[in-house]
Amino acid sequence: MKGTAHQPSFDAFLLLVGRLNYAWTNTESLLIHLIAGLAEVDKETATVIFLTLNTTRARIDLVERLSKLDRVSAEERDPVLALTGRIQRQSALRNRYNHCIYAFDPENGNLHTILMRIADRKDTLKIGQSTPLNDAAAEDIETAISELTAINHGIWQVIAQFGYPA
């Protein structure tokens, strides 16, 4: 059961979240090169476009839409869409640890997150979903960091393969 797993120190957990944020930001910034290549613009113009879009979802949507233009071959489009899909799958975990409150159980000192989101159900609201910060949570973050590193390498392969501005 996840709630009974060993609990890493809060400092160790924050370092893991920091590594996750670094891996995420580094990988997301590579979308600039995909935008440049798919939109057939220079990297400076792609950077302005990237920074004008203020959410990851908007940036990924743009890359996906550019890749679906008629002039983009399936050979080029398919790896781009595969990579953006992989990024999207990592976003839920990243969002969980970036848009939460970190809390300590006053009775036993256990760490947990409280999600800062309202889940609007048919006739009720769910607020403050809690997740324990334990070894299982740390392992999930380590796995996400590894996946983001692999995505990063995959994006660089696409950049090289299709001659996008690097």
Side-chain angles (χ1 to χ4, degrees), residues 59-88:
R59 293 166 177 159
I60 289 173
D61 283 350
L62 175 62
V63 169
E64 289 178 343
R65 289 170 181 166
L66 289 171
S67 75
K68 293 174 184 177
L69 292 172
D70 287 340
R71 65 177 164 74
V72 178
S73 70
E75 177 189 11
E76 187 175 355
R77 177 180 45 254
D78 293 346
V80 169
L81 291 176
L83 288 163
T84 57
R86 288 171 65 191
I87 294 170
Q88 269 303 108

Side-chain angles (χ1 to χ4, degrees), residues 125-153:
L125 296 177
K126 286 187 127 188
I127 301 171
Q129 176 187 4
S130 180
T131 304
L133 298 183
N134 53 30
D135 283 342
E139 189 175 310
D140 288 346
I141 292 174
E142 289 282 2
T143 300
I145 291 168
S146 294
E147 173 62 3
L148 287 167
T149 301
I151 293 167
N152 187 306
H153 292 293

Side-chain angles (χ1 to χ4, degrees), residues 11-62:
D11 286 345
F13 202 84
L14 288 179
L15 285 173
L16 260 182
V17 171
R19 285 182 50 221
L20 175 65
N21 284 327
Y22 169 77
W24 180 270
T25 302
N26 192 33
T27 300
E28 184 178 1
S29 72
L30 295 180
L31 295 176
I32 291 168
H33 303 283
L34 298 181
I35 292 166
L38 292 164
E40 299 177 350
V41 298
D42 60 78
K43 197 169 87 172
E44 182 180 33
T45 302
T47 300
V48 170
I49 294 167
F50 176 90
L51 294 174
T52 301
L53 301 169
N54 62 4
T55 67
T56 300
R57 182 71 245 164
R59 293 166 177 159
I60 289 173
D61 283 350
L62 175 62

